[in-house]
Amino acid sequence: MTFDERYRVIQSRDPRFDGQFVTAVRSTGIYCRPSCPARTPLARNVSFFATSAAAHEAGYRACKRCLPEAAPGSPAWHLRGDISARAMRLIADGVIERDGVTGLAARLGYSSRHLTRLLTAELGAGPLALSRAHRAHTARMLLVGTDLPAAEVAFSAGFASVRQFNETVQDVFAMTPLQLRARRRSGGEPAAGAIDLILPHRGALDAAGLFSWMSVRALDGVETATATSFARTVQLPAGPAWFELRQDAVGRIRMRTRLSQLRDLPALISRARRLFDLDADPVAVDQALAAHPEVAPAVAALPGIRVPGAIDPHEMLIRAMVGQQITVAAARTALTSLATALGEPTTIAEGAERLFPTMAAIAERGHEVLRGPAARIRAIRGAAAALAEGTLTLTAGDDGPTQRQALLAMPGIGPWTADYVRMRVLGDPDVFLPGDVAVRNGAAAIGLPGDAADLDRWASRTAPWRSYLTAHLWRAAPPTRRVSRRTTARIDLLEETP
């Protein structure tokens, strides 16, 4: 966006741009979100920054009125696939706290020094400053959303010491932690021992669609889903965790969680946001898709549709491969059996019985549980072994084409599976699945071409939002009562019926 375009945004106070950039005001020394209700500053006093970290590095402090750190994340980090976007996704997942800048740089294939130069030139701040801003955001959420003591907030947010936490909160917000906590609004008491937070999002949200998606795929003992909530266990870097996502009476998404180690909280928040696609820009998506008359009625009927992400990239690949050539119900049954037999028991929360199996366990014992063609079972175990050994890398910070190429090189993984994983793991908004049976059925139901090649050509006009077109076609597909099973030995096509 040009300066004039951004200035018009802050004049209109359009909330959908919150999190996409911040406005720094030289005359006051503060930076704000685009929708800040304060009087619009004169253009000559304004500078725009891509991140709050860059504004802070330039000497500005967060506005106490609009609290820009409370805005949803930028959808640009999913729309873009460059080094800066990949770095931001990994920083949000806590890579710097666990592995340092050296670890982040190694994952991206650069030296620490060169990565710092790249991010500073592109985003106005280096990796340490970007990580510091992310920790400040997490700390603010905990201070206003929980009753955790300040020391626990500090370590939960990823700070190395209480002193560092106090200094950062004071620098970023111009308030002490206790002053920031005093500004919170009452939102009800969480269950004893649980953390209860609000996960902000922009625009409309098809929460019913997300909960429905999760419900038909929920694995007994690992996941629990209803029409209004979704909960599951997950293995995080420091130990097992449990979380629940639900929508409250005013439409906000809330997350309740129990963790083995509080330092895993920032990573869990990031993963939960990706799971429900909470950083999306639904206004931009809906406007672009509604411009096509064939799709406009579906968009009007389901504003704010989201593309579900993945809480664990490794698990996502196994789930996709197990689901090849069978129905969602059959895949759920097979995956539940796998989790029951090989998943590690946990007592992290009431009703949470086990974790999804580790890749090592699937590689070693998957053949004892999995049913179907021997080639498919070998492919699943081979993928699990490659993930366990590290010969196959699969993370939210991968380069899209490189990830796709690596997956296609694995036995039993074809274009559908590779693209489906890219959509779910990377949050890539521009993936289309013309070979998917449900996509073609949904397309035929709303008057689009039913042939895969013709449909793929038509879908190209909806770039860069083809993942959301896919989601609409999944929803438009009529229910199927009977699915024929192929006897071919080919297992490179996943046909999934939502």
Side-chain angles (χ1 to χ4, degrees), residues 57-374:
E57 288 292 288
Y60 295 93
R61 289 184 172 181
C63 174
K64 295 181 181 180
R65 187 171 182 182
C66 71
L67 287 176
E69 307 300 328
S74 173
W77 312 137
H78 298 291
L79 184 61
R80 294 165 46 178
D82 57 17
I83 292 298
S84 297
R86 293 169 58 200
M88 290 298 288
R89 294 200 297 267
L90 290 171
I91 289 170
D93 200 46
V95 168
I96 288 183
E97 283 73 25
R98 294 192 298 271
D99 304 327
V101 176
T102 303
L104 174 67
R107 292 198 184 200
L108 297 172
Y110 289 87
S111 68
S112 300
R113 184 176 180 181
H114 189 52
L115 178 63
T116 299
R117 285 200 299 264
L118 284 174
L119 294 182
T120 302
E122 175 74 17
L123 304 178
L128 285 176
L130 293 166
S131 178
R132 182 172 184 254
H134 187 259
R135 290 196 299 270
H137 169 61
T138 303
R140 187 210 64 82
M141 291 179 64
L142 291 171
L143 286 168
V144 304
T146 75
D147 291 318
L148 286 175
E152 291 189 22
V153 169
F155 296 115
S156 300
F159 290 97
S161 67
V162 174
R163 178 179 179 180
Q164 185 188 68
F165 160 69
N166 289 333
E167 290 176 349
T168 298
V169 171
Q170 181 68 49
D171 287 347
V172 173
F173 301 108
M175 289 183 280
T176 67
L178 292 181
Q179 288 172 331
L180 187 56
R181 169 163 278 172
R183 298 171 61 87
R184 67 180 177 179
R185 300 179 178 89
S186 176
E189 293 296 324
I195 296 173
D196 198 317
L197 301 170
I198 295 172
L199 302 184
H201 62 86
R202 59 174 61 81
L205 176 68
D206 176 31
L210 286 168
F211 291 129
S212 175
W213 173 282
M214 300 299 170
S215 180
V216 298
R217 292 164 174 79
L219 308 183
D220 293 344
V222 176
E223 300 168 315
T224 304
T226 70
T228 58
S229 68
F230 171 73
R232 66 159 294 163
T233 59
V234 61
Q235 180 67 42
L236 295 175
W242 170 91
F243 70 94
E244 177 194 58
L245 297 174
R246 67 193 188 281
Q247 190 173 37
D248 65 17
V250 295
R252 299 174 301 185
I253 296 297
R254 302 189 71 100
M255 182 179 80
R256 188 162 59 97
T257 179
R258 294 177 185 270
L259 300 141
S260 299
Q261 297 290 332
L262 288 173
R263 65 177 181 268
D264 276 336
L265 182 61
L268 179 58
I269 292 172
S270 174
R271 296 184 190 194
R273 294 190 63 82
R274 287 202 303 271
L275 182 65
F276 270 27
D277 197 13
L278 296 180
D279 291 331
D281 183 354
V283 175
V285 173
D286 290 355
Q287 285 180 348
L289 294 181
H292 305 283
E294 301 90 336
V295 186
V299 175
L302 291 172
I305 200 168
R306 295 298 204 271
V307 177
I311 203 70
D312 183 295
H314 293 185
E315 176 187 323
M316 186 70 259
L317 176 59
I318 298 303
R319 293 178 79 138
M321 295 182 72
V322 169
Q324 290 172 341
Q325 299 185 333
I326 59 178
T327 65
V328 171
R332 179 183 183 181
T333 299
L335 287 162
T336 297
S337 298
L338 188 69
T340 301
L342 304 182
E344 296 181 7
T346 181
T347 57
I348 190 69
E350 184 179 354
E353 299 176 6
R354 63 186 65 89
L355 299 164
F356 190 82
T358 64
M359 296 302 103
I362 294 173
E364 182 180 352
R365 299 181 52 206
H367 64 286
E368 300 174 7
V369 184
L370 294 170
R371 298 291 180 266

Side-chain angles (χ1 to χ4, degrees), residues 386-399:
L387 290 168
E389 295 165 1
T391 55
L392 175 63
T393 301
L394 190 62
T395 74
D398 291 346
D399 172 67

